[in-house]
């Protein structure tokens, strides 16, 4: 099961390394990780997705709460929350295939942000499931480059 953890941390050098080390040292795998400043510039929000059962989640949260640099830890998995992920994908698009690719973009409300002679670059924002569906639809076309932001979430 995928768990989404939000951690408010002090915005200081080394905090990210200590938290990632905590996961690594205990053999837990981080599925996605996003870090950015909060409204208070002294704090940052870490959104971490972890795959595992409830025991894994319980251990992760206990270990995070022991860290000095962490102000607050919240498991969003069972709470009402909003989550989004951004994807940038460059697709091989010869002229005769562009209308098909643009139809898919329209269907998903993806935005075409770059056009080259033989490719289109699209931006799409959605949940992880929506992005997986989008990728399944465009996979038959040649994916030349792909970048995913990881999950961002708020309660």
């Amino acid at each position: 099961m995928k768990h989404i953890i939000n951690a408010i941390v002090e915005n200081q050098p080394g905090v990210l390394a200590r938290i990632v080390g905590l996961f690594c040292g205990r053999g837990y795998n981080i599925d996605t990780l996003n870090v950015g400043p909060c409204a208070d510039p002294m704090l940052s929000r870490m959104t971490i997705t972890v795959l595992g059962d409830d025991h894994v989640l319980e251990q992760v949260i206990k270990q995070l709460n022991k860290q000095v640099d962490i102000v607050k830890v919240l498991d969003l998995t069972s709470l009402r929350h909003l989550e989004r992920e951004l994807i940038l994908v460059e697709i091989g698009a010869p002229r005769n295939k562009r209308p098909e690719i643009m139809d898919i973009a329209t269907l998903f409300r993806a935005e075409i942000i770059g056009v080259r002679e033989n490719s289109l670059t699209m931006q799409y924002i959605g949940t992880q499931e929506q992005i997986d569906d989008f990728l399944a639809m465009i996979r038959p076309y040649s994916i030349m480059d792909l970048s995913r932001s990881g999950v961002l979430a708020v309660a």
Side-chain angles (χ1 to χ4, degrees):
M1 180 176 180
K2 178 185 78 171
H3 298 280
I4 301 172
I5 300 167
N6 255 351
I8 304 299
V9 302
E10 294 178 9
N11 193 357
Q12 296 180 10
V15 173
L16 176 61
R18 282 189 290 281
I19 291 172
V20 169
L22 179 150
F23 280 83
C24 182
R26 285 157 184 82
Y28 300 135
N29 188 39
I30 295 173
D31 188 43
T32 68
L33 171 65
N34 243 301
V35 183
C38 294
D40 178 349
M42 301 299 290
L43 301 173
S44 289
R45 176 183 309 274
M46 297 181 76
T47 304
I48 307 164
T49 58
V50 180
L51 299 176
D53 59 19
D54 290 337
H55 176 71
V56 168
L57 177 69
E58 181 182 331
Q59 292 303 309
V60 166
I61 290 176
K62 281 182 182 178
Q63 295 300 320
L64 287 172
N65 277 315
K66 289 181 183 179
Q67 299 294 309
V68 176
D69 303 315
I70 293 190
V71 176
K72 182 179 177 182
V73 178
L74 187 60
D75 172 22
L76 297 179
T77 309
S78 59
L79 299 177
R80 188 172 177 200
H81 67 279
L82 297 172
E83 66 180 84
R84 294 293 182 267
E85 184 174 359
L86 165 71
I87 184 172
L88 298 175
V89 59
E90 183 180 7
I91 303 165
R95 291 191 187 278
N96 64 333
K97 294 290 183 182
R98 285 190 183 182
E100 294 172 30
I101 296 169
M102 291 169 71
D103 285 346
I104 293 170
T106 300
L107 180 67
F108 280 88
R109 295 190 180 127
E111 185 178 349
I112 296 172
I113 59 171
V115 178
R116 292 194 173 171
E117 187 174 334
N118 293 312
S119 70
L120 296 173
T121 302
M122 288 192 263
Q123 167 185 291
Y124 180 60
I125 300 169
T127 64
Q128 281 187 314
E129 292 79 17
Q130 290 169 330
I131 287 180
D132 290 341
D133 291 344
F134 175 71
L135 286 174
M137 291 295 290
I138 64 170
R139 202 162 304 283
Y141 306 94
S142 174
I143 295 177
M144 298 167 67
D145 200 2
L146 171 69
S147 183
R148 291 179 80 153
S149 68
V151 173
L152 292 172
V154 294

